[in-house]
Amino acid sequence: MRTIDLLGVVGVAALAAGIAAPTRAQTAAASSTAAADAGEGEILVTARRQTERLIDVPASVTVLTSETLARTGVTRAQDFLQLTPGVTIVTGTAEAGDTQINIRGINGARDAESSVALVVDGILKTSTAQLNQNQGSLRQIEVLKGPQGALYGRNAAAGAIVVSTVKPGDRLEGAIKASYGEHKTGEVSGYVAGPITPTIGFVLSGNYRTTDGFYRNEFLNAHVVDDQQSGSIDGRIFAHIDDKTTLDVKARYEKLSGASINFNAAFALPNFAAVNPAFYENVNDHNFRYYSNIRPTNDQRTVEFSAKLDHDFDGVKLSAWALYSDVKQSLTADGTSADFARYTFPGASAASQAASAKCFATTAALTGYPLNAPTFIGATPVPFIFAPANGSTFGAYSPTTCDGTQLQVRNQKDFSTEVRLASNNGGPLTWQLGAYYLNIKRDTGVSLGADLGQGVSPDLYNGPSSSNPTSLLLADRFTTNVYAGFGAVDYKADNGFSAGLALRYDIEARKDHNAVPVAIDPITGGPINPGQTLGAIPDKNATFKQLEPKLTLSYKAAESAVLYANWGVGFKSGGFNNQGSKATVDTAFNDGVTPGTINAGVTINDQYRKERSSAFEAGIKGSLFDKRVSFDLAGYYTEVRDMQFFEFFVGGFGLLRVVSNIDRVDLWGGELNVNARIVDGWTVFGSGNITDSKIKKNASRPGTVGNKSPYTADYTINLGTQVVVPITDAIRGTIRADYRITGPTWFHSVQDQSAPTIFSGLLPISALALPAFVGNANYVVTQRKAFAVANLRVGLEGDTWSLTGFANNLFDRKYLNEVIPAIEFGGSFISPGGRRIIGVEAGFKF
């Protein structure tokens, strides 16, 4: 019997029996201060930008307290979001800063803005590259679901992650934690905090992590597939200027290096399967192998400075902050173009002849080199559809030079500031009012070049006579100015009823300056950017506006039972793709007249529309049996207009990343969370979420109406237990087990249907002279199946030390991290999830 099936049934039964509960419902206090203020076992949160008890918040909020963070060992979003019902994350597949968080069916589209706000110590961060970074010494994490823009600001359409870190106290304290496990995976982190003067304190924290990764490049004979090294240092000065004023100044530096583009290609061509079944491969059955001739690299550097001022005007509190952030990231890797003959035929230019000669030479030297079926290296680099007897089927990321190179650059500098006034009189009526400004300068570029065996140039454009001549270039500078005003009012009546209304109005003014020089592609002889057919691409600008209301209602039916409901509007600004994207797609896939082309009927624009959502939630939360059992049951419905969605295109032009819009998607579902403290020291917890969805309209791909929302798991189930038992007066034994089941997931709007591919256009004019439909793909094989991951931690701890053995992915389950169907390519680019790591962790605090 399959373990996942058995444990999945057990998990559902456990939820029905009411013995499961969310990690957020841990009965441990968030801090000693919270325990004193709220009573033993209560958790304080800031879900409405004011401190209140978790049970009083009229919404679903997942809270990881300091105890939960310590006992689970989580430090980054990819760790703690796996403990959160209804939330999934894809991160680190293309590059470290590439993070997409899905909350209840709303996903952060790659290359667009995030759908989830990240707020650290009261300051909203802007770059999506920061979502999965270590944020310092954590004290508490709150995950809010549903639109939070009215309260937490920009990019909170699906929710918000609110992080609190260590603040200095009146005595010197610190901690250090180190771990080491399989695959040479090691991590060390620590902090020291304390007073500088009676009114000024400091915190200094650092983190370093290294791993060889789980996979090896066979051709290079090295662990350069998913290896990574990262380090960060955070500094904080917290000053009590007087008894009513505080100043919080922070600085942060982080640097990362490692691999990128952790993908294999899997074909979805059913009519080719008669020749080789591997042409129609279920992505869940893929055997991952890596053999590109170029060592993939990924470099990221983050610099941040912020300052936050709080002042109490006797009943009114002023909060003002400013943030400067500079994130630079780039990647280099093998290309994807070999099967489409981009670098295989000599042309008139010296660059074309050099690329072709190098491709022929490496093919001759590597003929017969074992690749994943159905790809193979034949006697010539000519693709099989032209010469089936001796041609080659390279796929992407080949050990030859025939697929070229790629360089991707994403740099962002931003400055933001916010001023907020809020009531601070403790009465039944509370209010807040404020304004926000943000300026972003973002440079993005994708450069494809011929691989002449001399590596990848760090420059986006390289001339025809260079060692890495550029054959396609997309490069833009995006400038954004955001202006917003917001306010909120909440009223708590004596009869247990409370109501709140929050409003925010956003204006995002965006400009796009194309940075591609007017130049000729030395391989094809056409413009280096298809959008340059008529010369230089002109600048573009657009403004996106949205009013975002948030209404909350709650009723305290009993001391330990609260009914609640809320409704809100979510918003993500529209924006610009790299200019020339529309021309590239239309030329390659929407021609339908030129021999070798197809009429795919896909609509891509250089400008994509803003995303708006209307979300309802209603539920009940409370506790039973003298707070030994706590629960939260909620149902929700969301209508999304112009959902932003990431599309990936591969063809003879190379590769292209764009954002498109799905006109309307409906989402509905429910969550159940229960926590049971069986006896003192033994807690059983879990959660369950189910999300159903339907695409109601999609002008970009009309045939996908009726399909599910991309990147949305059908369900998630979290089960676990924690045991803390005294062994001696000074030593405790601890056991923490977490089990997560993630349901089936589609990653594209095209799902269980067929679509024409580039092969559909090429086959009729090839030596095979087959009808076009033979080259069509069917993407029913691209759904990620349900998978389960178990984590176990067993340890000993004293008042100042801990020693823990851990096993992440205890049963070494194989699963997919992400599937990116490239519809007109005829397959998908897939990335594996993490494998098992067994190790040991030691900690000391003073």
Side-chain angles (χ1 to χ4, degrees):
M1 179 180 293
R2 296 169 60 197
T3 303
I4 186 173
D5 295 337
L6 174 61
L7 291 176
V9 171
V10 172
V12 174
L15 282 169
I19 67 169
T23 301
R24 65 172 183 81
Q26 292 297 321
T27 57
S31 66
S32 58
T33 303
D37 291 348
E40 184 180 358
E42 297 286 4
I43 296 176
L44 294 185
V45 297
T46 57
R48 290 188 288 179
R49 299 192 74 167
Q50 58 186 2
T51 302
E52 57 187 325
R53 298 187 310 163
L54 175 61
I55 194 174
D56 295 330
V57 179
S60 293
V61 184
T62 296
V63 178
L64 282 77
T65 66
S66 56
E67 179 194 4
T68 303
L69 293 169
R71 294 269 162 74
T72 58
V74 304
T75 57
R76 295 173 296 168
Q78 68 186 70
D79 302 320
F80 62 74
L81 290 180
Q82 292 301 313
L83 299 171
T84 308
V87 181
T88 58
I89 182 172
V90 171
T91 185
T93 54
E95 58 185 328
D98 178 21
T99 298
Q100 299 168 85
I101 298 173
N102 185 296
I103 298 181
R104 293 178 172 178
I106 298 181
N107 196 69
R110 181 182 274 113
D111 294 340
E113 301 296 335
S114 173
S115 294
V116 181
L118 174 63
V119 180
V120 181
D121 293 324
I123 294 179
L124 173 66
K125 298 197 175 184
T126 303
S127 174
T128 57
Q130 297 162 301
L131 280 171
N132 199 38
Q133 291 182 356
N134 185 297
Q135 296 297 329
S137 297
L138 304 177
R139 272 295 175 258
Q140 181 162 298
I141 297 172
E142 303 168 28
V143 182
L144 288 63
K145 300 167 189 175
Q148 303 296 331
L151 289 172
Y152 277 104
R154 188 173 181 269
N155 293 346
I161 299 173
V162 181
V163 177
S164 300
T165 67
V166 169
K167 291 174 65 175
D170 56 5
R171 65 179 181 84
L172 186 66
E173 64 173 318
I176 186 169
K177 181 174 65 176
S179 65
Y180 189 81
E182 295 176 282
H183 311 290
K184 297 183 180 179
T185 300
E187 184 168 7
V188 60
S189 61
Y191 78 92
V192 60
I196 299 175
T197 72
T199 59
I200 301 175
F202 79 98
V203 180
L204 184 64
S205 62
N207 174 270
Y208 176 76
R209 184 177 185 273
T210 182
T211 181
D212 272 0
F214 304 103
Y215 295 91
R216 181 175 60 88
N217 183 308
E218 300 173 26
F219 181 72
L220 299 178
N221 193 28
H223 287 276
V224 292
V225 174
D226 52 350
D227 64 307
Q228 190 178 97
Q229 300 80 41
S230 64
S232 64
I233 185 167
D234 293 79
R236 184 178 193 179
I237 298 292
F238 195 89
H240 292 269
I241 297 175
D242 55 41
D243 59 351
K244 295 183 178 181
T245 310
T246 60
L247 178 64
D248 188 1
V249 179
K250 299 174 69 177
R252 173 177 178 77
Y253 178 81
E254 177 157 7
K255 188 172 183 179
L256 175 146
S257 62
S260 63
I261 310 295
N262 181 13
F263 291 104
N264 274 193
F267 290 95
L269 300 166
N271 295 314
F272 286 18
V275 177
N276 188 331
F279 275 112
Y280 193 51
E281 180 183 25
N282 189 303
V283 293
N284 299 283
D285 300 330
H286 183 79
N287 177 35
F288 281 91
R289 295 177 60 203
Y290 298 86
Y291 31 64
S292 64
N293 67 301
I294 293 175
R295 193 266 199 254
T297 67
N298 182 200
D299 294 289
Q300 183 187 88
R301 190 224 63 188
T302 301
V303 176
E304 280 183 8
F305 299 97
S306 68
K308 184 172 184 288
L309 178 72
D310 291 291
H311 180 77
D312 190 349
F313 287 102
D314 294 326
V316 176
K317 183 178 181 180
L318 167 69
S319 295
W321 58 258
L323 168 70
Y324 171 78
S325 176
D326 182 359
V327 181
K328 294 185 177 183
Q329 48 188 351
S330 64
L331 69 84
T332 63
D334 224 337
T336 60
S337 304
D339 259 331
F340 307 111
R342 186 169 184 81
Y343 301 110
T344 60
F345 296 114
S349 71
S352 177
Q353 294 180 33
S356 180
K358 190 65 179 178
C359 172
F360 271 74
T362 56
T363 299
L366 294 170
T367 298
Y369 183 91
L371 306 179
N372 258 350
T375 57
F376 62 95
I377 300 176
T380 72
V382 180
F384 77 98
I385 54 177
F386 296 102
N390 59 1
S392 300
T393 303
F394 294 110
Y397 321 122
S398 159
T400 73
T401 67
C402 303
D403 43 11
T405 68
Q406 61 176 298
L407 165 68
Q408 300 188 29
V409 175
R410 281 168 173 75
N411 299 328
Q412 176 172 316
K413 292 182 180 180
D414 58 77
F415 171 80
S416 56
T417 184
E418 180 182 280
V419 177
R420 183 170 67 99
L421 291 172
S423 60
N424 193 30
N425 55 18
L429 181 68
T430 59
W431 58 268
Q432 55 184 290
L433 185 69
Y436 173 82
Y437 170 73
L438 165 69
N439 173 264
I440 302 175
K441 290 182 171 59
R442 180 182 296 156
D443 296 323
T444 69
V446 178
S447 175
L448 304 186
D451 183 0
L452 303 185
Q454 301 179 58
V456 185
S457 169
D459 299 319
L460 283 172
Y461 177 70
N462 301 281
S465 61
S466 69
S467 62
N468 184 209
T470 303
S471 62
L472 173 70
L473 180 58
L474 303 160
D476 293 79
R477 162 158 280 198
F478 303 107
T479 302
T480 300
N481 283 293
V482 180
Y483 311 88
F486 58 88
V489 60
D490 292 275
Y491 179 75
K492 295 182 180 180
D494 293 337
N495 61 4
F497 177 81
S498 66
L501 174 64
L503 288 172
R504 180 183 178 93
Y505 187 68
D506 269 297
I507 301 174
E508 297 216 5
R510 296 194 159 199
K511 296 181 180 179
D512 177 11
H513 170 71
N514 187 261
V516 179
V518 177
I520 297 298
D521 174 0
I523 307 299
T524 66
I528 200 167
N529 183 304
Q532 294 179 333
T533 303
L534 300 177
I537 300 174
D539 291 351
K540 304 288 179 66
N541 62 79
T543 300
F544 306 91
K545 306 175 182 179
Q546 185 65 45
L547 179 67
E548 300 155 75
K550 177 86 171 183
L551 176 65
T552 59
L553 300 169
S554 68
Y555 176 69
K556 192 173 183 179
E559 180 61 31
S560 57
V562 175
L563 301 171
Y564 65 88
N566 62 73
W567 168 78
V569 170
F571 164 65
K572 283 204 309 181
S573 172
F576 296 99
N577 290 308
N578 287 116
Q579 298 301 295
S581 296
K582 175 178 174 56
T584 301
V585 171
D586 287 346
T587 300
F589 302 126
N590 290 331
D591 184 327
V593 176
T594 304
T597 63
I598 58 174
N599 185 13
V602 58
T603 301
I604 296 297
N605 296 303
D606 286 346
Q607 177 179 320
Y608 55 90
R609 303 185 298 275
K610 70 178 183 180
E611 176 183 299
R612 298 144 294 156
S613 58
S614 175
F616 298 85
E617 178 188 30
I620 181 172
K621 61 173 65 176
S623 61
L624 301 168
F625 308 117
D626 194 24
K627 297 184 179 181
R628 284 187 172 271
V629 175
S630 59
F631 64 90
D632 187 347
L633 175 65
Y636 54 89
Y637 167 73
T638 305
E639 177 185 286
V640 187
R641 297 282 184 173
D642 294 323
M643 175 181 279
Q644 293 172 6
F645 171 61
F646 168 75
E647 290 259 25
F648 189 58
F649 296 93
V650 176
F653 56 87
L655 61 88
L656 181 66
R657 301 164 48 139
V658 299
V659 178
S660 66
N661 292 98
I662 302 175
D663 299 75
R664 179 180 168 184
V665 179
D666 285 1
L667 307 159
W668 56 93
E671 285 183 7
L672 173 64
N673 309 285
V674 186
N675 179 85
R677 180 161 51 96
I678 308 301
V679 297
D680 291 346
W682 179 21
T683 305
V684 179
F685 46 86
S687 60
N689 168 279
I690 183 170
T691 298
D692 202 358
S693 61
K694 181 174 289 189
I695 295 174
K696 307 289 284 190
K697 182 180 179 182
N698 188 7
S700 177
R701 294 186 184 272
T704 64
V705 171
N707 290 347
K708 295 188 176 184
S709 177
Y711 284 78
T712 302
D714 287 351
Y715 57 84
T716 64
I717 297 173
N718 287 77
L719 299 171
T721 188
Q722 180 174 290
V723 179
V724 181
V725 295
I727 296 176
T728 70
D729 290 342
I731 299 176
R732 297 174 295 276
T734 62
I735 300 175
R736 172 79 188 207
D738 289 282
Y739 187 74
R740 166 68 173 241
I741 304 172
T742 302
T745 307
W746 293 103
F747 288 89
H748 202 282
S749 58
V750 177
Q751 295 168 11
D752 55 353
Q753 56 240 136
S754 296
T757 72
I758 193 168
F759 299 106
S760 307
L762 293 174
L763 278 173
I765 63 173
S766 72
L768 300 177
L770 295 173
F773 75 85
V774 175
N776 290 358
N778 188 298
Y779 286 94
V780 70
V781 293
T782 62
Q783 184 186 39
R784 181 178 68 184
K785 68 180 181 181
F787 67 93
V789 174
N791 296 331
L792 178 65
R793 295 171 63 88
V794 179
L796 298 172
E797 64 180 32
D799 291 337
T800 61
W801 60 271
S802 63
L803 183 64
T804 304
F806 63 87
N808 297 333
N809 193 357
L810 175 63
F811 302 113
D812 200 21
R813 293 288 180 253
K814 295 180 180 180
Y815 64 95
L816 295 173
N817 189 2
E818 184 178 22
V819 179
I820 304 179
I823 303 304
E824 287 70 33
F825 161 67
S828 301
F829 293 84
I830 57 180
S831 179
R835 303 295 297 274
R836 179 172 57 202
I837 296 180
I838 296 176
V840 63
E841 175 187 286
F844 174 76
K845 61 183 179 180
F846 63 90

